[in-house]
Amino acid sequence: AGANVRVLSIQSHVVSGYVGNKSACFPLQVLGFEVDTINSVQFSNHTGYKNFTGQVLDDTQLDDLVDGLKTNGIDHYSHLLTGYIGSRSFLRKVKSVVEHLKTVNPNLIYVCDPVMGDHGKMYVPEELLPVYREHIVPLADIITPNQYEAELLSGKKIRNEGDAAEVMEWFHHQGVKTVVLSSTELGSENKLVGMASSMNNRSKTRLQVHIPRLPANFTGTGDLFAALLLGWMHHTHNNLKKAVENTLNTMQTILHRTLDMARSEAGPDSSLTVKHLELKMVQSLDDIRNPEAKIKATIL
Ligand code: ATP
Ligand code: PLP
Ligand code: MG
Ligand code: MG
């Protein structure tokens, strides 16, 4: 990745399994990034298990950690990545962290995954939505909402490609240069549709991509997606098409491996558990370094 690529990633930590920082850190390291992690929570495992234990970091504790970085002059980052955030006060503090990091490095790239919900349901407190919309989105350089999150933020339903284009345009109006809808339901039973739009002062690129849908519910995929996209936007010098393709090709390979291994671990007669479906991350080292060239995006 060359000199001076250092990411600060503010996400969940789990002792066992792969979501949040556990899902983002390894792939970014494999792609050559220094990765500094702040764990917004540390839980025994992700919340899809029947039980979880652990602690939640509050806004003053976040402030405290960033203060330590400041004091030692180790608060210069090329990228900031944020994911799941569970409280309004923490999100407000994240805003001041973004602002601070942008004063230390005016070229900082902020990649925001505005995790709020999926399939028509919010799984964070509703009071986070206006904070994202008014304070966080305008600071983001790259944003990776799923369809539902994009609809919540823009206030517009996505029923077709035209709606998706309008929603992505809404993000551009807020100042976000690159918008990637990691998945939409505009496809069919066996495929998801990804959409993306990128603008700079000279031109705009819009694209669409078909994602073969695997018959399982994975966890940690949104977090992995955002991390890979950050990595590939950097390595391709912001070539949106290549970055999205590489990201999705690695995603597909990891999810295929995860499903294959889950099935063999479970055996022929048992159903797959959340434990079986933990992402097979370390087994996918080579696929992170060298994505296949299967999935192709279409420039619109
Ligand atoms: P999550 O549901 O994990 O919070 P998200 O809703 O933010 O994630 P999605 O858009 O659902 O993000 O998924 C991110 C990426 O993960 C998709 O672009 C796709 O590449 C991959 N993915 C997730 N689930 C599947 C699946 N069942 N089949 C194929 N790809 C999947
Ligand atoms: N963080 C924690 C603690 C979780 O429990 C989960 C999902 O259960 C996530 C993050 C998000 O994972 P995903 O990338 O699937 O949205
Ligand atoms: Mg989803
Ligand atoms: Mg997500």
Side-chain angles (χ1 to χ4, degrees):
N4 300 324
V5 284
R6 181 177 288 270
V7 185
L8 178 65
S9 177
I10 305 178
Q11 301 197 59
S12 324
H13 170 72
V14 283
V15 177
S16 177
Y18 295 92
V19 298
N21 273 332
K22 284 284 290 289
S23 200
C25 185
F26 178 73
L28 282 168
Q29 289 173 326
V30 168
L31 292 175
F33 290 78
E34 290 285 354
V35 187
D36 290 1
T37 49
I38 290 180
N39 298 326
S40 53
V41 306
Q42 62 164 346
F43 289 161
S44 52
N45 46 261
H46 73 66
T47 54
Y49 286 77
K50 68 171 182 288
N51 184 40
F52 66 94
T53 56
Q55 298 85 35
V56 178
L57 197 77
D58 69 26
D59 55 323
T60 61
Q61 293 167 320
L62 170 60
D63 218 19
D64 189 41
L65 289 173
V66 175
D67 262 344
L69 299 175
K70 265 184 220 175
T71 305
N72 291 299
I74 46 177
D75 53 354
H76 188 285
Y77 290 98
S78 58
H79 297 79
L80 170 70
L81 173 62
T82 65
Y84 177 90
I85 289 160
S87 81
R88 184 176 185 277
S89 58
F90 196 89
L91 190 58
R92 294 293 305 221
K93 192 60 76 180
V94 165
K95 182 195 185 197
S96 42
V97 173
V98 185
E99 287 167 341
H100 171 70
L101 296 180
K102 286 202 176 198
T103 60
V104 177
N105 177 14
N107 297 319
L108 176 96
I109 294 166
Y110 174 31
V111 180
C112 174
D113 187 10
V115 179
M116 287 185 286
D118 211 345
H119 309 293
K121 268 224 189 75
M122 280 186 83
Y123 45 60
V124 301
E126 263 176 53
E127 60 188 15
L128 267 67
L129 174 56
V131 181
Y132 270 114
R133 189 193 284 130
E134 284 152 41
H135 300 285
I136 302 291
V137 169
L139 293 172
D141 297 284
I142 300 178
I143 199 159
T144 58
N146 60 30
Q147 175 173 347
Y148 177 60
E149 291 155 351
E151 291 173 341
L152 283 175
L153 288 166
S154 66
K156 182 168 177 54
K157 276 255 169 231
I158 300 175
R159 295 195 186 84
N160 52 49
E161 246 179 67
D163 293 340
E166 277 181 43
V167 165
M168 293 192 294
E169 201 57 31
W170 180 86
F171 284 98
H172 288 325
H173 278 295
Q174 313 304 306
V176 186
K177 290 183 278 300
T178 302
V179 186
V180 180
L181 307 183
S182 53
S183 67
T184 69
E185 294 292 337
L186 299 176
S188 58
E189 205 178 310
N190 55 13
K191 65 175 193 265
L192 297 160
V193 174
M195 304 272 294
S197 178
S198 194
M199 61 154 199
N200 59 35
N201 32 26
R202 266 180 285 165
S203 64
K204 191 176 292 172
T205 306
R206 261 204 294 126
L207 59 81
Q208 187 180 42
V209 58
H210 295 287
I211 307 166
R213 195 198 298 252
L214 301 179
N217 285 319
F218 302 98
T219 306
T221 51
D223 308 330
L224 175 60
F225 182 96
L228 290 170
L229 186 76
L230 184 164
W232 285 114
M233 283 295 279
H234 174 77
H235 284 303
T236 64
H237 307 287
N238 298 320
N239 182 323
L240 183 67
K241 182 171 186 290
K242 277 193 206 156
V244 166
E245 288 173 350
N246 285 350
T247 296
L248 288 173
N249 278 302
T250 294
M251 295 285 322
Q252 278 281 307
T253 313
I254 295 180
L255 296 185
H256 267 290
R257 174 173 295 111
T258 299
L259 188 55
D260 287 349
M261 289 180 69
R263 283 173 174 154
S264 64
E265 282 165 19
D269 306 319
S270 341
S271 54
L272 303 183
T273 63
V274 283
K275 166 88 179 81
H276 292 132
L277 286 168
E278 288 284 4
L279 297 177
K280 297 296 185 278
M281 192 70 80
V282 295
Q283 297 85 342
S284 303
L285 177 90
D286 293 336
D287 308 299
I288 296 167
R289 285 183 80 98
N290 301 114
E292 286 191 281
K294 267 193 189 150
I295 295 178
K296 292 284 181 195
T298 308
I299 300 278
L300 299 174

